[in-house]
Amino acid sequence: MALATGLRAAERTAFETVRHGLRLSPEFRRGLGGTLALAVLATLGKVIVPIAVQQVIDRGLRGGTPDVSFIRNAIGLCALAVVLTALCGYLMNVRLYRSTESGLATLRGKGFRHVHDLSVLTQNTERRGALVSRVTGDVDQISTFMQWGGLMVIIAFGQLLVATVLMAIYSWQLTLLVWACFLPLVVALPRFQRLVAGAYTRVRERAGDVLAAVSESVVGSAVIRAYGSEDRTAARIDTAVNAQRKAQIRAQRIVGFTFPITELVASVAIAGVVLLGVELGMTGSITAGRLIAFLFLITLFISPLQTATEVLNEAQNAIAGWRRILGVLDTPADVADPAHGATLPRGPISVEFEGVGFAYPGGAPVLHDVSVDIPPRTRVAVVGETGSGKTTFAKLLTRLMDPTSGRILVDGVDLRSVRFASLRERIVMVPQDGFLFDSSLAENIRFGLPSATDDHIRLALTELGLADWLDGLPAGLETPVGQRGESLSAGERQLVALARAYLADPDLLLLDEATSAVDPATEVRLARALDGVTRGRTAVSIAHRLSTAQAADEVLVFQHGRIVQRGPHAVLVEEPGVYADLYASWTAGTHSS
Amino acid sequence: MVQGLRVIGVAIRAEPRVFTAAVLSSALYGVTTVGSSWALGWATDHVVLPSFRQGRAGTGTLVVAALLIVGVAVLKAAGVMGRRILAGVMQYRMQARSRRAVTRQYLRLPLAWHHRHPTGQLLSNANSDAEAAWAPLAPLPMAVGVIVMLVTAAGAILLVDPVLALVGFLIFPAIAVLNLIYQRKLSPLAMRAQQLRAEVSEVAHESFDGALVVKTLGREDAEAARFQARADELRDANVLVGRVRGLFDPLLEALPTLGVLAVLLVGSLRLEAHDIAAGDLIQVAYLFTLLAFPIRALGWVLAELPRSVVGWTRVQQVLDATGSMEYGTAALDGPIDGPAKLEVDDVAYGYDPEAPVLSDVSFTVAPGRTVAVVGPTGAGKSTLTQLLARLIDPDRGAVRIDGTDLREVAKGGVSASVALVPQQTFLFDDTVRGNITLGLAVPDETVWAALRLAQADGFVSALPSGLDTRVGERGATLSGGQRQRIALARALVRRPRLLILDDATSSVDPQVEKRILYGLRDGSADSTVIVVAYRMATIALADEVVYLEHGVVAGHGTHERLLARCEGYRNLVTAYEREEAERAALDTDADEEVVA
């Protein structure tokens, strides 16, 4: 199931991934040529010192006494070059930061928007945390690579190239020697990198275990205390923390061993250059200054090779991050806004289900051949046991999912050809879990109608019979609701969700067990208010308490994904069948005697 | 700064041996770095230049020079290796230490403390704060090594030539000062970017969590705009960081290069005056190129310090938190296995002292009785259950079991006799068995018996590995009703003498719930039972009812008695019936109108 609806795992090579990623954010390529040109100029700054050393020794100090005016001119020229290349470095950095950050901000925005375009099916098969990482951590990884790693790659290549060219000019024999020393290291790099990457992967896994163990101790604090299992929990945490420490130290050890090897190789190269260089010098094929310049040039090999494993790591992470974001963007929005969709005129809505069936991808059908029509201004209650298909029915009606067979018509128009903007305006669902955003009560209710004033909101609450409740809140409409609305009780959250939908003023209101968490007295009060507000509209209520069904014009009884009974409460309750049984068990559960 | 050094001091005292070894390795690295330039200078003066001048090379000195260069490099590599590995050992040990201490404290501190601190904060205290606190330990030995390196270098250059040394004394302090300015400028900008990164993540989290609401109200575009605004702010902050980096990085690289050029110029003049040899010049120039990068390590430590102090302070706040539960020495008297007698004596409790949740709550429950606690949302029912299980202590009054105040009971005594099944089910990422026994040594038959009583034996035996099936994080692989039944079995397996159910079967189907409650009442649990409930069916099974309203006991007695005498109770439990009756009356009126 996860395979069918999950995010697409893009089958791309690293190169294709990067190319595709760059295409998505044109900002990356804007002015890239200039930035690269500046990078090349900035890299030239690295060889100024070796050249200066060579010139001073070979020409300035040639006659035994220094040629001071030559040295002064040469040094002055070099200093000027240093300042210019530093300036190039500055300009290159600024351009690089600006273009990459702009590109990444665009990428974030595109990814975020697309996640909201995905259907509830896809959203639910992915862990929410994973979706969040797509637009946060994954993008950050690309950013780190582009600004640090990517730059390093350019500079490292430039540095190696410029150094090698200069070396080759001075002496091809010594250049071969230096490369012969460093080549094994270059060849071994990917192996090192795999080793290091593997060690860091383990560290991340262990860190995840620690986070899970610690969060159990915090979230489960009540249970841990109630059962006196503090010691057991502490032992679990210790195991995780110690495993993480071991993994970290192991990774550190690998890096600690591989890092200084470059310096050792460099020293061998230097010693070799001194030995061979002096021999060559005897035959006159190299000057002393060039030989000593070589020693300076060798140091330019050290830092690119030392950072190479890290850069390769970053590059891999960045490509993986890119691949994951592209995976999100490649996943088609399976419930899509039609290109030239119809706009429904305002007014009470009629709904028609024609032989509608639904199965979750890879799963058995949960709704079979449902045909029903709901005339305008009808109030319908949907009842049935858990798993009978009620919520699926609601999700299809609001087009959170599309049916796998049959079709749904609103005002005679196929739901799939109605513009989203029009659909969401006309049909509003109040889900069971009234999710609230971390802001004020007013802001949360206004989510239903962004243009509403505080007076509108107050009026809406009054019409719902919730004025008393509002007055009882410490800061009234400005009361902060906390993260996910957790400062309010579950029942209060449902009240806000209801007010939010009511304010949106839809023509069809769909309530999915929207008042299941409030106490009976409040629920009855609310039911009465809803009775008023749904008058004149089409309303569908998924009911967990049969009092809702009693008040409805028509009841749809679901069982095993089919509508098995329909009709008004008064009629159904007299027929032997599913509804009569449900009603009997409900009455027994709610009546005082 | 001073505080930052204090934090480092704490780490040094905690791991003196590792620290000493790391610093010694690093000092070796510092000295050998200078040594490698000296070796090169020596080779220049004694091998390279004489050979070129004389036109012949002495094999002996050549070999000595090569060995010298490689030998110094081996020592340097050993220093680097020791420094890096030991710095890591120290840093990670300290992090692990802090994490263990913080989580121990979480387990020790009372639930009331947990209520005051948001989950997110506690998680970051144990994770990112513990990490940030010890972050400067990684570059610390390197920094010490660099100081050794600088002192050695200063000595070496002074030995070569005081005038060249003067150049060094101008250049290196300039680098250090520039670096300091760099970190000063960068750290507030970097902190702001970090803050914005967290905000971007929060918006995404919230928006995706509320995806259903966003979708059903058609607010995708508005949400995308909200997110983009934050993402753009983050972009601008990062570009600002980039500007500072972009300016200082090339500057910090240019400065030592200019230093080397200065050395070449000044050195040539000194050569002219025959004050130094050419090899000396090479040695100093090479030293400058080697020193340029490590000197920046000093800046890294300084850059990490403010973050470290913040992290350490947060960790310390947790460790310094007081108000842990005190335990007495008493054992709970009464029959070893029989049901408990419960007394709640004039109890008051408030999360906020100004607005008590419970006040003057008194009632007594005789052993073996089943009592329903009923009341409107927010009446204080869940708080009461936590007091009964001593998850929190009352501000006033006492809770007594078999006559003993819970505060006087020895540690572990209360949880051995009392089992609370809270409203929010919590399962560990463990097996079904592990979740039920929580490490208690009980035979599988007992576990199965508890599962039977909780009506959970059916689905558990159908799980792929039965009792050994892992339930996933928070029990994610099970349905809400299944999770609740596992949690119930967890309580029952302990054969509690007082069983408290806080709306603990709300997700279980009504028929199954009924069987559970019948089972409990039939005495197979042999407990006194307190059950918080809304459903009439649950209330009907109770021997008596305690009705809570606005934090006080507004009625206590049998269901029938309360129904007759207590208006609030009547209103609450008969809400549906009255509604039905009213509707019936309305319908009758309507019918009559039609007839008329």
Side-chain angles (χ1 to χ4, degrees), chain A residues 46 113 116 118 211 216 225 227 232 238 242 263 424 438 447 484 523 545 583 589 592, chain B residues 76 100 104 106 109 127 206-207 209 215 219 221 253 420 429-430 438 536 559 576-577 580:
Chain A
K46 305 272 186 184
R113 186 65 181 79
H116 272 307
L118 297 172
L211 194 63
E216 276 190 347
R225 276 161 191 74
Y227 294 94
R232 180 171 179 270
D238 282 359
N242 291 339
E263 301 233 18
R424 300 296 180 220
D438 185 8
F447 203 77
R484 282 155 237 269
E523 188 179 30
R545 283 170 187 174
Y583 187 71
S592 49
Chain B
K76 184 178 172 188
R100 283 194 303 259
R104 278 289 187 298
Y106 287 167
L109 287 167
N127 287 294
E206 185 177 62
S207 192
D209 266 350
K215 229 182 241 306
R219 292 292 301 273
D221 287 332
E253 217 170 293
L420 164 70
D429 182 9
D430 199 342
L438 295 182
M536 230 10 263
H559 168 63
Y576 296 123
E577 284 171 78
E580 221 174 302

Side-chain angles (χ1 to χ4, degrees), chain A residues 46 49 52 57 61 66 68 71 75 78-79 82 86 90 93 97-98 101-102 105 108-109 112-113 115-116 118 123 128 131-132 136 140 211 214-216 218 220-228 230 232 234 236-238 241-242 244-245 248 252 255-257 259-260 263-264 267 270-271 275 278 281-282 286-288 291-292 295-296 299 386 400 424 428 431 435 437-438 447 450 484 489 500 519-520 523-524 528 545 547 550-551 583 589-592, chain B residues 40 44 48 51-52 55-57 62 69-70 73-74 76-77 81 84 92 95-96 99-100 103-104 106-107 109 111 114 119 122-123 126-127 197 201 205-213 215 217-221 223-224 226-228 234-235 238 242-243 245-247 250 253-254 257 260-261 264 268-269 271-272 282 286 376-377 391 415 420 426 428-430 434 438-439 474 490-491 494 509 534 536-537 559 563 572-573 575-577 579-580 582-583:
Chain A
K46 305 272 186 184
V49 164
I57 292 178
L61 301 177
V68 175
I71 291 177
I75 299 285
C78 286
V82 168
Y90 167 68
N93 276 331
Y97 271 92
R98 204 187 296 137
E101 283 300 328
S102 305
R108 268 188 229 275
F112 180 91
R113 186 65 181 79
V115 168
H116 272 307
L118 297 172
Q123 285 176 347
R128 288 281 151 76
L131 287 176
V132 174
T136 55
D140 291 339
L211 194 63
V214 172
S215 81
E216 276 190 347
V218 173
S221 55
V223 169
I224 291 165
R225 276 161 191 74
Y227 294 94
E230 286 93 343
R232 180 171 179 270
R236 282 161 72 100
I237 293 173
D238 282 359
V241 168
N242 291 339
Q244 184 193 15
R245 192 201 60 210
Q248 283 171 326
Q252 189 74 11
V255 176
F257 271 116
F259 190 79
E263 301 233 18
L264 276 181
S267 77
I270 289 173
L275 289 175
V278 169
M282 299 305 96
I286 189 168
T287 64
L291 174 55
I292 288 167
L295 305 181
F296 281 81
T299 59
T386 320
L400 292 176
R424 300 296 180 220
V428 167
F435 182 90
F437 294 85
D438 185 8
F447 203 77
R484 282 155 237 269
S489 73
R500 177 163 66 191
D519 67 62
E523 188 179 30
V524 166
R528 218 165 280 161
R545 283 170 187 174
S547 50
Q550 285 172 300
Y583 187 71
T590 52
H591 287 54
S592 49
Chain B
L40 209 65
T44 307
V48 179
S51 307
F52 276 84
R56 64 180 176 82
L62 260 180
I69 289 169
V70 176
V74 168
K76 184 178 172 188
M81 209 177 279
R84 285 188 79 109
Y92 298 135
Q95 279 177 12
R99 288 207 170 100
R100 283 194 303 259
T103 48
R104 278 289 187 298
Y106 287 167
L107 293 171
L109 287 167
L111 207 58
H114 278 264
T119 309
L122 297 188
L123 291 182
N127 287 294
R197 198 164 289 139
S201 169
H205 239 293
E206 185 177 62
S207 192
F208 294 166
D209 266 350
L212 194 60
V213 173
K215 229 182 241 306
L217 289 168
R219 292 292 301 273
E220 291 95 335
D221 287 332
E223 282 296 288
R226 183 164 80 105
F227 179 78
Q228 192 70 58
L234 173 60
R235 175 198 62 200
N238 277 338
R243 245 173 217 291
R245 286 221 171 108
L247 177 64
E253 217 170 293
T257 310
V260 175
L261 295 178
L264 289 177
S268 308
L269 296 173
L271 260 174
E272 192 183 23
I282 298 306
Y286 192 73
T377 318
L391 294 185
S415 58
L420 164 70
F426 182 86
F428 295 90
D429 182 9
D430 199 342
L438 295 182
R474 313 263 186 284
R490 174 193 290 162
R494 289 170 165 66
D509 268 343
Y534 275 147
M536 230 10 263
H559 168 63
L563 204 56
L572 190 72
V573 301
Y576 296 123
E577 284 171 78
E579 191 202 16
E580 221 174 302
E582 277 169 35
R583 196 179 8 254

Side-chain angles (χ1 to χ4, degrees), chain A residues 41 58 271 512:
Chain A
L41 290 176
D58 280 351
D512 183 6

Side-chain angles (χ1 to χ4, degrees), chain B residues 40-54:
Chain B
L40 209 65
W42 187 88
T44 307
D45 259 355
H46 294 87
V47 184
V48 179
L49 294 180
S51 307
F52 276 84
R53 258 198 306 272
Q54 296 155 14

Side-chain angles (χ1 to χ4, degrees), chain A residues 49-50 53-54 57 167 170 174 177-178 182 266-278 286-302, chain B residues 36-37 39-45 47-49 65 69 279 282-283 286 289-290:
Chain A
V49 164
V53 168
Q54 186 265 335
I57 292 178
M167 283 177 165
Y170 287 166
L174 288 183
L177 174 72
V178 169
F182 281 108
S267 77
V268 172
I270 289 173
V273 165
V274 169
L275 289 175
L276 184 63
V278 169
I286 189 168
T287 64
R290 291 183 165 195
L291 174 55
I292 288 167
F294 246 92
L295 305 181
F296 281 81
L297 286 169
I298 288 171
T299 59
L300 291 182
F301 276 67
I302 297 176
Chain B
S36 64
S37 75
L40 209 65
W42 187 88
T44 307
D45 259 355
V47 184
V48 179
L49 294 180
I69 289 169
I282 298 306
Q283 179 194 340
Y286 192 73
T289 53
L290 290 184

